[in-house]
Amino acid sequence: GESVGLHLPTLSVQEGDNSIINCAYSNSASDYFIWYKQESGKGPQFIIDIRSNMDKRQGQRVTVLLNKTVKHLSLQIAATQPGDSAVYFCAENIGGGSNYKLTFGKGTLLTVNP
Amino acid sequence: DTAVSQTPKYLVTQMGNDKSIKCEQNLGHDTMYWYKQDSKKFLKIMFSYNNKELIINETVPNRFSPKSPDKAHLNLHINSLELGDSAVYFCASSPSSRAGYTFGSGTRLTVV
């Protein structure tokens, strides 16, 4: 089976609140993780990534946390806006060299209420 | 400029037909991919090519045949289309080292 999964398939928040999307992975050899945002009718869009030698990385309004002990990844979105409404995927790197591929989790639908 | 472009965006066809989806990237990336996204939004890798060479084939039926004429193009040909082939197909590219993928906008294939 797939090694990347999500705890919550849907998340509904009020505009201005902070959002937290969680992801569990089972492959302890994974060393690179990415969060993607997919809006309706579009392809997945890169948000932020983190390598396994880090436990936190911040971007603009987004923070990714990595807990290798429990194989858990989270995406925090500050001051969530209606434009953040989308499906969010975590992806895990498996393989090395030219066999590099990303395995995607099931996705979480984030809905931001005005 | 669109970094990864796919054509067509929509494709409706009858069972048994043969169809192709084209993909081009202008990012200079060495590796290209095809992913299939089902109705539950699950994204699954189908193929990857590195510099025109097939690297990954994820037990996709032989009816699916990717072709990479050069490292900027990766096309997907599907023979004898079946109802279960209906999905959104995404092309993506990445540098050869570990890095995020850049995805195209997808091709929604509907087999009737």
Side-chain angles (χ1 to χ4, degrees), chain A residues 2 4 31-32 34 36 38-46 49 51 87 89 93 95-106, chain B residues 9 31 33 35 37 40-45 48 50 55-56 58 88 90 94-106 108:
Chain A
E2 298 300 326
V4 180
D31 61 357
Y32 179 56
I34 307 177
Y36 281 89
Q38 186 178 22
E39 296 174 274
S40 181
K42 297 183 179 179
Q45 179 184 10
F46 176 96
D49 60 358
R51 301 192 187 276
V87 177
F89 295 93
N93 171 64
S98 58
N99 287 327
Y100 163 67
K101 68 175 182 181
L102 289 178
T103 295
F104 284 78
K106 294 192 180 82
Chain B
K9 188 169 177 63
T31 310
Y33 310 82
Y35 274 76
Q37 186 172 47
K40 296 181 181 177
K41 296 291 188 182
F42 188 69
L43 274 162
K44 184 169 173 59
I45 191 168
S48 79
N50 183 271
I55 301 298
I56 294 173
E58 290 285 304
V88 182
F90 286 100
S94 72
S96 56
S97 57
R98 281 182 181 75
Y101 294 2
T102 300
F103 281 85
S105 56
R108 181 174 292 278

CSV table of all heavy atoms in Angstrom, one decimal, chain A residues 2 4 31-32 34 36 38-46 49 51 87 89 93 95-106, chain B residues 9 31 33 35 37 40-45 48 50 55-56 58 88 90 94-106 108:
chain,number,residue,atom,x,y,z
A,2,GLU,N,0.2,2.4,-0.1
A,2,GLU,CA,0.9,3.7,-0.1
A,2,GLU,C,1.5,4.0,1.3
A,2,GLU,O,0.8,3.7,2.3
A,2,GLU,CB,-0.1,4.8,-0.6
A,2,GLU,CG,-0.6,4.6,-2.0
A,2,GLU,CD,0.5,4.6,-3.0
A,2,GLU,OE1,1.5,5.2,-2.8
A,2,GLU,OE2,0.4,3.8,-4.0
A,4,VAL,N,2.2,7.1,2.3
A,4,VAL,CA,1.9,8.5,2.8
A,4,VAL,C,0.4,8.6,3.0
A,4,VAL,O,-0.4,8.3,2.1
A,4,VAL,CB,2.4,9.5,1.8
A,4,VAL,CG1,2.1,10.9,2.3
A,4,VAL,CG2,3.9,9.4,1.6
A,31,ASP,N,13.6,11.0,2.7
A,31,ASP,CA,14.5,12.1,3.2
A,31,ASP,C,14.1,13.5,2.6
A,31,ASP,O,14.8,14.4,2.9
A,31,ASP,CB,15.9,11.8,2.9
A,31,ASP,CG,16.2,11.7,1.4
A,31,ASP,OD1,15.2,11.8,0.6
A,31,ASP,OD2,17.4,11.5,1.0
A,32,TYR,N,13.0,13.5,1.9
A,32,TYR,CA,12.6,14.8,1.3
A,32,TYR,C,11.1,14.8,1.2
A,32,TYR,O,10.5,13.8,0.7
A,32,TYR,CB,13.3,14.9,0.0
A,32,TYR,CG,12.9,16.2,-0.8
A,32,TYR,CD1,13.2,17.4,-0.3
A,32,TYR,CD2,12.4,16.1,-2.1
A,32,TYR,CE1,12.9,18.6,-1.0
A,32,TYR,CE2,12.1,17.2,-2.8
A,32,TYR,CZ,12.4,18.5,-2.3
A,32,TYR,OH,12.1,19.6,-3.0
A,34,ILE,N,7.4,17.3,0.4
A,34,ILE,CA,6.9,18.5,-0.2
A,34,ILE,C,5.4,18.6,0.0
A,34,ILE,O,4.7,17.6,0.1
A,34,ILE,CB,7.1,18.5,-1.8
A,34,ILE,CG1,8.6,18.2,-2.1
A,34,ILE,CG2,6.7,19.8,-2.4
A,34,ILE,CD1,8.8,18.1,-3.6
A,36,TYR,N,2.0,20.3,-1.6
A,36,TYR,CA,1.5,20.8,-2.8
A,36,TYR,C,0.0,21.3,-2.6
A,36,TYR,O,-0.7,20.7,-1.8
A,36,TYR,CB,1.4,19.8,-3.9
A,36,TYR,CG,2.7,19.5,-4.6
A,36,TYR,CD1,3.6,18.6,-4.2
A,36,TYR,CD2,3.1,20.2,-5.8
A,36,TYR,CE1,4.8,18.3,-4.8
A,36,TYR,CE2,4.3,20.0,-6.4
A,36,TYR,CZ,5.2,19.1,-5.9
A,36,TYR,OH,6.3,18.8,-6.5
A,38,GLN,N,-3.5,22.1,-4.7
A,38,GLN,CA,-4.2,21.9,-6.0
A,38,GLN,C,-5.5,22.6,-6.0
A,38,GLN,O,-6.4,22.2,-5.2
A,38,GLN,CB,-4.4,20.4,-6.3
A,38,GLN,CG,-4.9,20.2,-7.7
A,38,GLN,CD,-5.1,18.8,-8.1
A,38,GLN,OE1,-5.1,17.9,-7.2
A,38,GLN,NE2,-5.1,18.5,-9.4
A,39,GLU,N,-5.7,23.6,-6.8
A,39,GLU,CA,-6.9,24.3,-6.9
A,39,GLU,C,-7.8,23.6,-8.0
A,39,GLU,O,-7.2,22.9,-8.8
A,39,GLU,CB,-6.7,25.8,-7.3
A,39,GLU,CG,-6.0,26.6,-6.2
A,39,GLU,CD,-5.6,28.0,-6.6
A,39,GLU,OE1,-4.6,28.2,-7.2
A,39,GLU,OE2,-6.4,28.9,-6.3
A,40,SER,N,-9.1,23.8,-7.9
A,40,SER,CA,-10.0,23.2,-8.8
A,40,SER,C,-9.6,23.4,-10.3
A,40,SER,O,-9.4,24.6,-10.7
A,40,SER,CB,-11.4,23.6,-8.6
A,40,SER,OG,-12.3,23.0,-9.4
A,41,GLY,N,-9.4,22.3,-11.1
A,41,GLY,CA,-9.2,22.5,-12.5
A,41,GLY,C,-7.7,22.8,-12.8
A,41,GLY,O,-7.4,23.0,-14.0
A,42,LYS,N,-6.9,22.7,-11.8
A,42,LYS,CA,-5.4,23.0,-12.0
A,42,LYS,C,-4.5,21.9,-11.6
A,42,LYS,O,-5.0,21.0,-10.9
A,42,LYS,CB,-5.0,24.3,-11.3
A,42,LYS,CG,-5.8,25.6,-11.8
A,42,LYS,CD,-5.3,26.8,-11.0
A,42,LYS,CE,-6.0,28.0,-11.5
A,42,LYS,NZ,-5.6,29.3,-10.8
A,43,GLY,N,-3.3,22.0,-12.0
A,43,GLY,CA,-2.3,21.0,-11.5
A,43,GLY,C,-1.8,21.3,-10.1
A,43,GLY,O,-2.0,22.5,-9.7
A,44,PRO,N,-1.2,20.4,-9.4
A,44,PRO,CA,-0.6,20.6,-8.1
A,44,PRO,C,0.5,21.7,-8.2
A,44,PRO,O,1.2,21.7,-9.2
A,44,PRO,CB,-0.1,19.3,-7.7
A,44,PRO,CG,-0.8,18.3,-8.5
A,44,PRO,CD,-1.1,18.9,-9.8
A,45,GLN,N,0.5,22.6,-7.2
A,45,GLN,CA,1.4,23.7,-7.2
A,45,GLN,C,2.3,23.5,-6.0
A,45,GLN,O,1.8,23.4,-4.9
A,45,GLN,CB,0.7,25.0,-7.2
A,45,GLN,CG,1.6,26.2,-7.2
A,45,GLN,CD,0.8,27.5,-7.1
A,45,GLN,OE1,-0.4,27.5,-6.9
A,45,GLN,NE2,1.4,28.6,-7.2
A,46,PHE,N,3.6,23.6,-6.2
A,46,PHE,CA,4.6,23.5,-5.1
A,46,PHE,C,4.3,24.6,-4.0
A,46,PHE,O,4.2,25.8,-4.4
A,46,PHE,CB,6.0,23.6,-5.7
A,46,PHE,CG,7.1,23.7,-4.6
A,46,PHE,CD1,7.8,22.5,-4.3
A,46,PHE,CD2,7.5,24.9,-4.0
A,46,PHE,CE1,8.8,22.5,-3.4
A,46,PHE,CE2,8.5,24.9,-3.1
A,46,PHE,CZ,9.2,23.7,-2.8
A,49,ASP,N,8.9,22.8,0.8
A,49,ASP,CA,9.5,21.5,1.0
A,49,ASP,C,10.4,21.5,2.2
A,49,ASP,O,10.7,22.5,2.8
A,49,ASP,CB,10.4,21.1,-0.2
A,49,ASP,CG,11.5,22.1,-0.5
A,49,ASP,OD1,11.7,23.1,0.2
A,49,ASP,OD2,12.3,21.8,-1.5
A,51,ARG,N,13.7,18.9,4.0
A,51,ARG,CA,14.6,17.8,4.0
A,51,ARG,C,14.7,17.2,5.4
A,51,ARG,O,14.4,17.8,6.4
A,51,ARG,CB,15.9,18.1,3.4
A,51,ARG,CG,15.8,18.7,2.0
A,51,ARG,CD,17.1,18.8,1.3
A,51,ARG,NE,16.9,19.6,0.0
A,51,ARG,CZ,16.5,19.0,-1.1
A,51,ARG,NH1,16.3,17.7,-1.1
A,51,ARG,NH2,16.3,19.7,-2.2
A,87,VAL,N,-7.2,21.6,-2.4
A,87,VAL,CA,-6.8,20.3,-1.9
A,87,VAL,C,-5.3,20.4,-1.7
A,87,VAL,O,-4.5,20.8,-2.5
A,87,VAL,CB,-7.1,19.2,-2.8
A,87,VAL,CG1,-6.6,17.8,-2.3
A,87,VAL,CG2,-8.6,19.1,-3.1
A,89,PHE,N,-1.8,18.3,-0.7
A,89,PHE,CA,-1.1,17.0,-0.7
A,89,PHE,C,0.2,17.1,0.0
A,89,PHE,O,1.0,18.0,-0.3
A,89,PHE,CB,-0.9,16.5,-2.1
A,89,PHE,CG,-2.2,16.2,-2.9
A,89,PHE,CD1,-2.7,17.2,-3.7
A,89,PHE,CD2,-2.8,15.0,-2.8
A,89,PHE,CE1,-3.9,17.0,-4.4
A,89,PHE,CE2,-3.9,14.7,-3.5
A,89,PHE,CZ,-4.5,15.7,-4.4
A,93,ASN,N,9.6,11.7,-0.9
A,93,ASN,CA,10.5,11.2,-1.9
A,93,ASN,C,10.9,9.7,-1.6
A,93,ASN,O,11.3,9.4,-0.5
A,93,ASN,CB,11.8,12.0,-1.8
A,93,ASN,CG,12.9,11.4,-2.7
A,93,ASN,OD1,12.7,11.3,-3.9
A,93,ASN,ND2,14.0,10.9,-2.1
A,95,GLY,N,13.3,6.5,-3.3
A,95,GLY,CA,14.2,6.2,-4.3
A,95,GLY,C,15.4,7.2,-4.4
A,95,GLY,O,15.3,8.2,-3.7
A,96,GLY,N,16.3,6.9,-5.2
A,96,GLY,CA,17.5,7.8,-5.3
A,96,GLY,C,17.9,7.9,-6.8
A,96,GLY,O,17.6,7.1,-7.6
A,97,GLY,N,18.8,8.9,-7.0
A,97,GLY,CA,19.3,9.1,-8.4
A,97,GLY,C,18.2,9.3,-9.4
A,97,GLY,O,17.3,9.9,-9.1
A,98,SER,N,18.3,8.6,-10.5
A,98,SER,CA,17.4,8.8,-11.6
A,98,SER,C,16.0,8.1,-11.2
A,98,SER,O,15.0,8.3,-11.9
A,98,SER,CB,17.9,8.3,-12.9
A,98,SER,OG,18.3,6.9,-12.8
A,99,ASN,N,16.0,7.2,-10.2
A,99,ASN,CA,14.8,6.6,-9.8
A,99,ASN,C,14.0,7.4,-8.8
A,99,ASN,O,13.0,6.9,-8.3
A,99,ASN,CB,15.1,5.2,-9.1
A,99,ASN,CG,15.6,4.2,-10.1
A,99,ASN,OD1,15.1,4.2,-11.2
A,99,ASN,ND2,16.5,3.3,-9.7
A,100,TYR,N,14.4,8.6,-8.6
A,100,TYR,CA,13.7,9.5,-7.7
A,100,TYR,C,12.2,9.7,-8.2
A,100,TYR,O,11.9,9.9,-9.3
A,100,TYR,CB,14.4,10.9,-7.8
A,100,TYR,CG,13.6,12.0,-7.3
A,100,TYR,CD1,13.3,12.2,-5.9
A,100,TYR,CD2,13.2,13.1,-8.1
A,100,TYR,CE1,12.6,13.2,-5.5
A,100,TYR,CE2,12.5,14.1,-7.7
A,100,TYR,CZ,12.2,14.2,-6.3
A,100,TYR,OH,11.5,15.3,-5.9
A,101,LYS,N,11.3,9.5,-7.2
A,101,LYS,CA,9.9,9.8,-7.5
A,101,LYS,C,9.2,10.2,-6.3
A,101,LYS,O,9.6,9.9,-5.2
A,101,LYS,CB,9.2,8.5,-8.1
A,101,LYS,CG,9.0,7.4,-7.0
A,101,LYS,CD,8.2,6.2,-7.6
A,101,LYS,CE,8.0,5.2,-6.5
A,101,LYS,NZ,7.3,4.0,-7.0
A,102,LEU,N,8.2,11.0,-6.4
A,102,LEU,CA,7.4,11.4,-5.3
A,102,LEU,C,6.1,10.6,-5.2
A,102,LEU,O,5.4,10.4,-6.2
A,102,LEU,CB,7.0,12.9,-5.5
A,102,LEU,CG,8.1,14.0,-5.4
A,102,LEU,CD1,7.5,15.3,-5.6
A,102,LEU,CD2,8.7,13.9,-4.0
A,103,THR,N,5.9,10.2,-4.0
A,103,THR,CA,4.6,9.4,-3.7
A,103,THR,C,3.7,10.4,-2.9
A,103,THR,O,4.1,10.9,-1.9
A,103,THR,CB,4.9,8.2,-2.9
A,103,THR,OG1,5.7,7.3,-3.7
A,103,THR,CG2,3.6,7.5,-2.5
A,104,PHE,N,2.5,10.5,-3.4
A,104,PHE,CA,1.6,11.5,-2.8
A,104,PHE,C,0.6,10.9,-1.8
A,104,PHE,O,0.2,9.7,-2.0
A,104,PHE,CB,0.8,12.2,-4.0
A,104,PHE,CG,1.5,13.2,-4.7
A,104,PHE,CD1,2.4,12.8,-5.7
A,104,PHE,CD2,1.4,14.5,-4.5
A,104,PHE,CE1,3.2,13.7,-6.4
A,104,PHE,CE2,2.1,15.5,-5.2
A,104,PHE,CZ,3.0,15.1,-6.2
A,105,GLY,N,0.3,11.6,-0.8
A,105,GLY,CA,-0.8,11.2,0.1
A,105,GLY,C,-2.1,11.4,-0.5
A,105,GLY,O,-2.3,11.9,-1.6
A,106,LYS,N,-3.2,11.1,0.3
A,106,LYS,CA,-4.5,11.2,-0.2
A,106,LYS,C,-5.1,12.6,-0.5
A,106,LYS,O,-6.0,12.8,-1.2
A,106,LYS,CB,-5.5,10.4,0.7
A,106,LYS,CG,-5.2,8.9,0.8
A,106,LYS,CD,-6.3,8.2,1.5
A,106,LYS,CE,-6.0,6.7,1.6
A,106,LYS,NZ,-5.1,6.4,2.8
B,9,LYS,N,-6.5,19.8,-23.2
B,9,LYS,CA,-7.0,20.0,-21.8
B,9,LYS,C,-8.1,19.0,-21.5
B,9,LYS,O,-8.3,18.5,-20.4
B,9,LYS,CB,-7.4,21.4,-21.5
B,9,LYS,CG,-7.6,21.7,-20.1
B,9,LYS,CD,-7.8,23.2,-19.8
B,9,LYS,CE,-8.1,23.5,-18.3
B,9,LYS,NZ,-7.1,23.0,-17.4
B,31,THR,N,14.2,15.3,-16.1
B,31,THR,CA,13.2,14.3,-15.8
B,31,THR,C,11.8,14.7,-16.0
B,31,THR,O,11.4,15.8,-15.6
B,31,THR,CB,13.4,13.7,-14.4
B,31,THR,OG1,14.8,13.5,-14.2
B,31,THR,CG2,12.7,12.4,-14.2
B,33,TYR,N,7.5,13.2,-16.0
B,33,TYR,CA,6.7,12.2,-15.4
B,33,TYR,C,5.3,12.2,-16.0
B,33,TYR,O,4.8,13.3,-16.4
B,33,TYR,CB,6.6,12.4,-13.9
B,33,TYR,CG,7.9,12.6,-13.2
B,33,TYR,CD1,8.5,13.8,-13.1
B,33,TYR,CD2,8.5,11.5,-12.5
B,33,TYR,CE1,9.7,14.0,-12.5
B,33,TYR,CE2,9.7,11.7,-11.8
B,33,TYR,CZ,10.3,12.9,-11.8
B,33,TYR,OH,11.4,13.1,-11.1
B,35,TYR,N,1.5,11.3,-14.3
B,35,TYR,CA,0.7,10.9,-13.1
B,35,TYR,C,-0.8,10.8,-13.5
B,35,TYR,O,-1.2,11.5,-14.4
B,35,TYR,CB,0.8,11.9,-12.0
B,35,TYR,CG,2.0,11.8,-11.1
B,35,TYR,CD1,3.2,12.1,-11.5
B,35,TYR,CD2,1.8,11.2,-9.8
B,35,TYR,CE1,4.3,12.0,-10.6
B,35,TYR,CE2,2.9,11.1,-8.9
B,35,TYR,CZ,4.2,11.4,-9.4
B,35,TYR,OH,5.2,11.3,-8.5
B,37,GLN,N,-4.6,11.0,-11.9
B,37,GLN,CA,-5.4,11.4,-10.7
B,37,GLN,C,-6.8,10.9,-10.9
B,37,GLN,O,-7.5,11.2,-11.8
B,37,GLN,CB,-5.4,12.9,-10.5
B,37,GLN,CG,-6.1,13.3,-9.2
B,37,GLN,CD,-5.9,14.8,-9.0
B,37,GLN,OE1,-6.1,15.6,-9.8
B,37,GLN,NE2,-5.5,15.1,-7.7
B,40,LYS,N,-11.1,10.3,-6.8
B,40,LYS,CA,-11.0,10.7,-5.4
B,40,LYS,C,-9.7,11.5,-5.2
B,40,LYS,O,-9.3,11.7,-4.0
B,40,LYS,CB,-10.8,9.4,-4.6
B,40,LYS,CG,-12.1,8.6,-4.6
B,40,LYS,CD,-12.0,7.3,-3.8
B,40,LYS,CE,-13.3,6.5,-3.9
B,40,LYS,NZ,-13.2,5.2,-3.1
B,41,LYS,N,-9.2,12.1,-6.2
B,41,LYS,CA,-8.1,13.0,-6.2
B,41,LYS,C,-6.7,12.3,-5.9
B,41,LYS,O,-5.7,13.0,-5.6
B,41,LYS,CB,-8.3,14.1,-5.2
B,41,LYS,CG,-9.5,15.0,-5.5
B,41,LYS,CD,-9.2,15.9,-6.7
B,41,LYS,CE,-10.3,16.9,-6.9
B,41,LYS,NZ,-10.0,17.7,-8.1
B,42,PHE,N,-6.7,11.0,-5.9
B,42,PHE,CA,-5.5,10.3,-5.6
B,42,PHE,C,-4.5,10.4,-6.8
B,42,PHE,O,-4.9,10.0,-7.9
B,42,PHE,CB,-5.7,8.9,-5.2
B,42,PHE,CG,-4.5,8.1,-4.7
B,42,PHE,CD1,-4.0,8.5,-3.5
B,42,PHE,CD2,-3.9,7.2,-5.4
B,42,PHE,CE1,-2.9,7.8,-3.0
B,42,PHE,CE2,-2.8,6.5,-5.0
B,42,PHE,CZ,-2.3,6.9,-3.7
B,43,LEU,N,-3.3,10.8,-6.5
B,43,LEU,CA,-2.3,11.0,-7.6
B,43,LEU,C,-1.3,9.8,-7.6
B,43,LEU,O,-0.7,9.6,-6.5
B,43,LEU,CB,-1.5,12.3,-7.3
B,43,LEU,CG,-2.0,13.6,-7.9
B,43,LEU,CD1,-1.4,14.7,-7.2
B,43,LEU,CD2,-1.8,13.6,-9.4
B,44,LYS,N,-1.2,9.1,-8.7
B,44,LYS,CA,-0.3,8.0,-8.7
B,44,LYS,C,0.6,8.1,-9.9
B,44,LYS,O,0.2,8.3,-11.0
B,44,LYS,CB,-1.2,6.7,-8.8
B,44,LYS,CG,-0.3,5.4,-8.8
B,44,LYS,CD,-1.2,4.2,-8.6
B,44,LYS,CE,-0.4,2.9,-8.7
B,44,LYS,NZ,0.7,2.9,-7.7
B,45,ILE,N,1.9,7.8,-9.7
B,45,ILE,CA,2.8,7.9,-10.8
B,45,ILE,C,2.6,6.8,-11.8
B,45,ILE,O,2.3,5.6,-11.4
B,45,ILE,CB,4.3,7.9,-10.2
B,45,ILE,CG1,5.3,8.3,-11.3
B,45,ILE,CG2,4.6,6.6,-9.6
B,45,ILE,CD1,6.7,8.6,-10.9
B,48,SER,N,8.2,7.6,-15.5
B,48,SER,CA,9.2,8.7,-15.5
B,48,SER,C,10.3,8.5,-16.5
B,48,SER,O,10.6,7.3,-16.8
B,48,SER,CB,9.8,8.9,-14.1
B,48,SER,OG,10.9,8.0,-13.9
B,50,ASN,N,14.1,10.0,-17.8
B,50,ASN,CA,15.3,10.9,-17.6
B,50,ASN,C,16.1,10.9,-18.9
B,50,ASN,O,16.6,9.9,-19.3
B,50,ASN,CB,16.1,10.3,-16.4
B,50,ASN,CG,17.3,11.2,-16.1
B,50,ASN,OD1,18.3,11.1,-16.6
B,50,ASN,ND2,17.0,12.1,-15.2
B,55,ILE,N,12.7,5.4,-16.9
B,55,ILE,CA,13.2,5.0,-15.7
B,55,ILE,C,12.2,4.3,-14.8
B,55,ILE,O,12.6,3.3,-14.2
B,55,ILE,CB,13.7,6.3,-14.9
B,55,ILE,CG1,14.7,7.0,-15.8
B,55,ILE,CG2,14.2,5.9,-13.5
B,55,ILE,CD1,16.0,6.2,-16.0
B,56,ILE,N,11.0,4.8,-14.7
B,56,ILE,CA,10.0,4.2,-13.9
B,56,ILE,C,8.8,3.8,-14.7
B,56,ILE,O,8.3,4.6,-15.5
B,56,ILE,CB,9.6,5.1,-12.8
B,56,ILE,CG1,10.7,5.4,-11.8
B,56,ILE,CG2,8.4,4.6,-12.0
B,56,ILE,CD1,10.4,6.5,-10.8
B,58,GLU,N,5.3,2.1,-13.5
B,58,GLU,CA,4.6,1.6,-12.4
B,58,GLU,C,3.5,0.6,-12.7
B,58,GLU,O,2.3,0.9,-12.5
B,58,GLU,CB,4.1,2.7,-11.5
B,58,GLU,CG,5.1,3.5,-10.8
B,58,GLU,CD,5.7,2.8,-9.6
B,58,GLU,OE1,5.0,2.5,-8.7
B,58,GLU,OE2,6.9,2.7,-9.6
B,88,VAL,N,-7.9,12.3,-14.7
B,88,VAL,CA,-7.1,13.5,-15.1
B,88,VAL,C,-5.6,13.0,-15.1
B,88,VAL,O,-5.1,12.5,-14.2
B,88,VAL,CB,-7.3,14.7,-14.2
B,88,VAL,CG1,-6.4,15.9,-14.7
B,88,VAL,CG2,-8.7,15.0,-14.1
B,90,PHE,N,-1.7,14.0,-15.5
B,90,PHE,CA,-0.8,15.2,-15.3
B,90,PHE,C,0.6,14.8,-15.7
B,90,PHE,O,1.1,13.8,-15.4
B,90,PHE,CB,-0.7,15.6,-13.8
B,90,PHE,CG,-2.0,16.3,-13.3
B,90,PHE,CD1,-2.9,15.6,-12.6
B,90,PHE,CD2,-2.1,17.7,-13.6
B,90,PHE,CE1,-4.1,16.3,-12.2
B,90,PHE,CE2,-3.3,18.3,-13.1
B,90,PHE,CZ,-4.2,17.7,-12.4
B,94,SER,N,11.1,17.7,-13.4
B,94,SER,CA,11.9,18.1,-12.3
B,94,SER,C,13.4,18.0,-12.7
B,94,SER,O,13.7,17.3,-13.6
B,94,SER,CB,11.7,17.1,-11.1
B,94,SER,OG,12.3,15.8,-11.3
B,95,PRO,N,14.2,18.7,-12.0
B,95,PRO,CA,15.7,18.5,-12.2
B,95,PRO,C,16.1,17.1,-11.8
B,95,PRO,O,15.3,16.4,-11.1
B,95,PRO,CB,16.3,19.6,-11.3
B,95,PRO,CG,15.2,20.5,-10.9
B,95,PRO,CD,13.9,19.7,-11.0
B,96,SER,N,17.2,16.7,-12.2
B,96,SER,CA,17.5,15.3,-12.0
B,96,SER,C,17.8,15.0,-10.5
B,96,SER,O,17.6,13.9,-10.0
B,96,SER,CB,18.7,14.8,-12.8
B,96,SER,OG,19.8,15.7,-12.6
B,97,SER,N,18.2,16.0,-9.8
B,97,SER,CA,18.4,15.8,-8.3
B,97,SER,C,17.1,16.0,-7.6
B,97,SER,O,16.1,16.4,-8.2
B,97,SER,CB,19.4,16.8,-7.8
B,97,SER,OG,19.0,18.2,-8.1
B,98,ARG,N,17.1,15.7,-6.3
B,98,ARG,CA,15.8,15.8,-5.5
B,98,ARG,C,15.4,17.3,-5.6
B,98,ARG,O,16.0,18.2,-5.1
B,98,ARG,CB,16.1,15.4,-4.1
B,98,ARG,CG,16.2,13.9,-3.9
B,98,ARG,CD,16.4,13.6,-2.4
B,98,ARG,NE,16.5,12.2,-2.2
B,98,ARG,CZ,17.5,11.4,-2.5
B,98,ARG,NH1,18.5,12.0,-3.0
B,98,ARG,NH2,17.5,10.1,-2.2
B,99,ALA,N,14.2,17.4,-6.1
B,99,ALA,CA,13.6,18.8,-6.1
B,99,ALA,C,12.1,18.6,-6.4
B,99,ALA,O,11.7,17.5,-6.8
B,99,ALA,CB,14.2,19.6,-7.2
B,100,GLY,N,11.4,19.6,-6.2
B,100,GLY,CA,10.0,19.6,-6.4
B,100,GLY,C,9.6,19.4,-7.9
B,100,GLY,O,10.4,19.8,-8.7
B,101,TYR,N,8.5,18.9,-8.2
B,101,TYR,CA,8.0,18.8,-9.5
B,101,TYR,C,7.3,20.0,-9.9
B,101,TYR,O,6.6,20.7,-9.1
B,101,TYR,CB,7.0,17.6,-9.7
B,101,TYR,CG,7.5,16.2,-9.5
B,101,TYR,CD1,8.8,15.9,-9.1
B,101,TYR,CD2,6.6,15.2,-9.7
B,101,TYR,CE1,9.2,14.6,-8.9
B,101,TYR,CE2,7.0,13.9,-9.5
B,101,TYR,CZ,8.3,13.6,-9.1
B,101,TYR,OH,8.6,12.3,-9.0
B,102,THR,N,7.3,20.4,-11.2
B,102,THR,CA,6.4,21.4,-11.8
B,102,THR,C,5.4,20.6,-12.6
B,102,THR,O,5.8,19.9,-13.5
B,102,THR,CB,7.2,22.4,-12.6
B,102,THR,OG1,8.2,23.0,-11.8
B,102,THR,CG2,6.3,23.4,-13.2
B,103,PHE,N,4.2,20.8,-12.3
B,103,PHE,CA,3.1,20.1,-13.0
B,103,PHE,C,2.5,20.9,-14.1
B,103,PHE,O,2.4,22.1,-14.0
B,103,PHE,CB,2.0,19.7,-12.0
B,103,PHE,CG,2.3,18.5,-11.1
B,103,PHE,CD1,3.0,18.7,-10.0
B,103,PHE,CD2,1.9,17.3,-11.5
B,103,PHE,CE1,3.3,17.6,-9.2
B,103,PHE,CE2,2.2,16.2,-10.7
B,103,PHE,CZ,2.9,16.3,-9.5
B,104,GLY,N,2.0,20.2,-15.1
B,104,GLY,CA,1.1,20.8,-16.1
B,104,GLY,C,-0.3,21.0,-15.5
B,104,GLY,O,-0.6,20.6,-14.4
B,105,SER,N,-1.2,21.5,-16.3
B,105,SER,CA,-2.5,21.8,-15.8
B,105,SER,C,-3.5,20.6,-16.0
B,105,SER,O,-4.6,20.7,-15.6
B,105,SER,CB,-3.1,23.0,-16.5
B,105,SER,OG,-3.1,22.8,-17.9
B,106,GLY,N,-3.0,19.5,-16.5
B,106,GLY,CA,-3.8,18.3,-16.6
B,106,GLY,C,-4.6,18.2,-17.9
B,106,GLY,O,-4.9,19.1,-18.6
B,108,ARG,N,-8.1,16.2,-18.8
B,108,ARG,CA,-9.2,15.4,-18.3
B,108,ARG,C,-9.7,14.4,-19.5
B,108,ARG,O,-10.2,14.9,-20.5
B,108,ARG,CB,-10.3,16.3,-17.9
B,108,ARG,CG,-11.5,15.5,-17.3
B,108,ARG,CD,-12.6,16.4,-16.7
B,108,ARG,NE,-12.1,17.0,-15.5
B,108,ARG,CZ,-12.1,16.5,-14.3
B,108,ARG,NH1,-12.6,15.3,-14.1
B,108,ARG,NH2,-11.7,17.2,-13.3
